[in-house]
Amino acid sequence: AESSRQAKELGFEVRKVVFEDQEPGWCQIGARKILFVDLASTATEQLSQLNGILASYHRSVTRDRAA
């Protein structure tokens, strides 16, 4: 719940979808930031995905600011 709240505070729309060959992750389309979590995963796996995606986002933002 904490990670989901953090994602929403960062401006993400959180979507839970069933993946086939894709990986959970995030993207930005215009001003919209969308985070994708695998609905077929367990709650524990979804939380892990969410934490990993947020960490990836933070690394990306930090890298962009340093450039």
Side-chain angles (χ1 to χ4, degrees):
E2 176 69 23
S3 295
S4 183
R5 183 183 57 76
Q6 181 184 10
K8 290 177 183 175
E9 286 176 358
L10 290 169
F12 279 100
E13 173 184 334
V14 179
R15 292 190 186 178
K16 293 183 180 180
V17 295
V18 176
F19 292 116
E20 293 191 22
D21 295 331
Q22 304 89 356
E23 292 289 321
W26 68 277
C27 69
Q28 185 165 348
I29 303 171
R32 292 176 58 203
K33 293 185 285 189
I34 306 168
L35 191 150
F36 297 93
V37 176
D38 190 356
L39 184 60
S41 298
T42 66
T44 301
E45 291 168 334
Q46 288 179 14
L47 180 59
S48 178
Q49 291 169 13
L50 190 54
N51 288 332
I53 294 165
L54 290 174
S56 170
Y57 172 75
H58 285 297
R59 284 191 303 273
S60 175
V61 169
T62 302
R63 183 178 56 242
D64 288 348
R65 287 184 184 155

